[in-house]
Amino acid sequence: MNAFGHRDYTLLGRVRVQLDDAGLTIANPGGFVEGINIHNLLTAEPYGRNPCLMDALKRTGLAERTGRGIDRIFEGALNYGRPLPDYSRSNRRGVSVLLPRSVPDKAFVELLAEERERSGKSMSLDGLLILDKLKSERRCGFDVLSGSLDMSDQRLRTVLGQLTEAGLVESAGVGARRTYMLGAKVYRRSGRAMDYVRQSDIDRVRYPELIIKLMHEQKSVSKNDVMELLHLEGNQAYYQLRKLVLEGRAKKVGSGRNVRYAAVR
């Protein structure tokens, strides 16, 4: 309906629907309407190229005139555990979307259904996009999420807070060093408890080795070096350094604000 209702009727051509090994492709003549591109599909103010036609489609029950067509395409893909729609082949001559062929993520679909039953409402598209990003990237900082998702920083913080409260997302670190990953119950629902442990704990196991390696590279390190290296807050960095000193693997060099730590040969 989007392809039929929003195509450019001043151009020759037809709406094309193609099903092949790659998936389902729907394409129409004419590029995106002015002000819309593949980077702001979900946030640009919607308006139609053919308002009379869209009004007729709405009156016959075949479409909405609220500008939520693209949203529903994305929501449909994510709610059924499938990859995001791919608009990358679109250009000034036409809009093309590929719905990739894939096996649905049944565990993810069931998790969303349980969350919908618990909260009494469907998850927002922004929430679905964040979960999908973390599912593919494993762990992301705020800057990475902000740069790859089409939403304001304020909205991103709000939705991350909601997902964290629901136990769907967990965070580690503080401030600019904070990172996010899927919550334990998401991994547990998917039968991937080992992946969760690996994501949440393996870095902590490697902390001493990483600090010692940096000591060898720089001759010595400060608490700030460790904070930057491991994305830790001050007390956590000091704890790691103090533990290495108590174990005899590192020694203090200097004192006060200038104290540094070096590996024991």
Side-chain angles (χ1 to χ4, degrees):
M1 286 301 102
N2 258 18
F4 179 73
H6 295 303
R7 61 157 292 178
D8 188 344
Y9 282 96
T10 66
L11 301 176
L12 295 177
R14 64 186 66 184
V15 172
R16 177 170 61 89
V17 179
Q18 177 180 329
L19 183 63
D20 56 23
D21 290 342
L24 176 65
T25 299
I26 303 173
N28 62 263
F32 292 114
V33 297
E34 185 178 355
I36 296 180
N37 55 60
I38 61 174
H39 303 296
N40 67 0
L41 279 172
L42 298 172
T43 55
E45 188 66 27
Y47 65 96
R49 179 180 273 126
N50 308 299
C52 290
L53 175 57
M54 291 307 297
D55 187 53
L57 292 174
K58 178 193 174 189
R59 291 173 183 273
T60 55
L62 294 174
E64 295 180 352
R65 223 187 138 193
T66 58
R68 291 197 65 247
I70 299 294
D71 290 19
R72 294 188 66 182
I73 294 171
F74 276 77
E75 286 172 351
L78 294 172
N79 273 311
Y80 285 97
R82 296 184 182 278
L84 292 174
D86 181 5
Y87 282 85
S88 62
R89 297 180 185 177
S90 301
N91 51 45
R92 290 182 298 175
R93 298 185 301 276
V95 174
S96 176
V97 58
L98 168 66
L99 305 178
R101 185 188 293 273
S102 69
V103 177
D105 187 338
K106 294 182 179 179
F108 191 68
V109 174
E110 292 170 354
L111 177 74
L112 292 177
E114 290 176 0
E115 187 62 23
R116 187 162 53 246
E117 183 176 349
R118 183 193 68 81
S119 65
K121 59 183 179 180
S122 297
M123 183 170 297
S124 69
L125 176 56
D126 289 342
L128 291 170
L129 290 169
I130 292 172
L131 292 179
D132 180 72
K133 182 68 176 177
L134 294 178
K135 187 169 66 165
S136 62
E137 298 293 332
R138 308 285 183 168
R139 184 187 289 274
C140 289
F142 186 88
D143 288 346
V144 173
L145 290 172
S146 178
S148 59
L149 299 177
D150 190 14
M151 66 183 80
S152 68
D153 286 356
Q154 181 178 358
R155 175 61 178 165
L156 178 57
R157 289 190 181 92
T158 298
V159 180
L160 280 170
Q162 293 169 348
L163 294 174
T164 301
E165 289 178 4
L168 299 175
V169 167
E170 295 179 8
S171 63
V174 296
R177 299 182 179 88
R178 187 182 297 276
T179 59
Y180 299 88
M181 60 177 284
L182 294 177
K185 73 177 184 180
V186 179
Y187 281 100
R188 192 182 308 117
R189 192 69 179 79
S190 303
R192 295 159 53 204
M194 189 177 295
D195 287 344
Y196 171 74
V197 173
R198 184 180 297 115
Q199 285 297 314
S200 59
D201 290 339
I202 195 169
D203 286 343
R204 298 172 192 170
V205 174
R206 295 181 59 227
Y207 283 172
E209 305 307 322
L210 292 173
I211 295 171
I212 293 294
K213 184 175 181 180
L214 184 61
M215 287 176 176
H216 288 310
E217 292 291 330
Q218 296 186 173
K219 307 301 183 184
S220 65
V221 301
S222 66
K223 183 178 71 173
N224 288 338
D225 289 333
V226 175
M227 290 170 62
E228 182 177 353
L229 173 69
L230 304 178
H231 305 304
L232 298 176
E233 60 182 11
N235 290 338
Q236 293 171 322
Y238 174 73
Y239 170 78
Q240 294 295 330
L241 288 166
R242 182 171 178 272
K243 186 167 65 171
L244 287 173
V245 171
L246 292 175
E247 292 173 354
R249 301 176 65 186
K251 61 182 179 180
K252 278 188 177 183
V253 179
S255 60
R257 293 184 177 182
N258 297 320
V259 65
R260 297 182 67 85
Y261 299 83
V264 174
R265 301 287 182 177

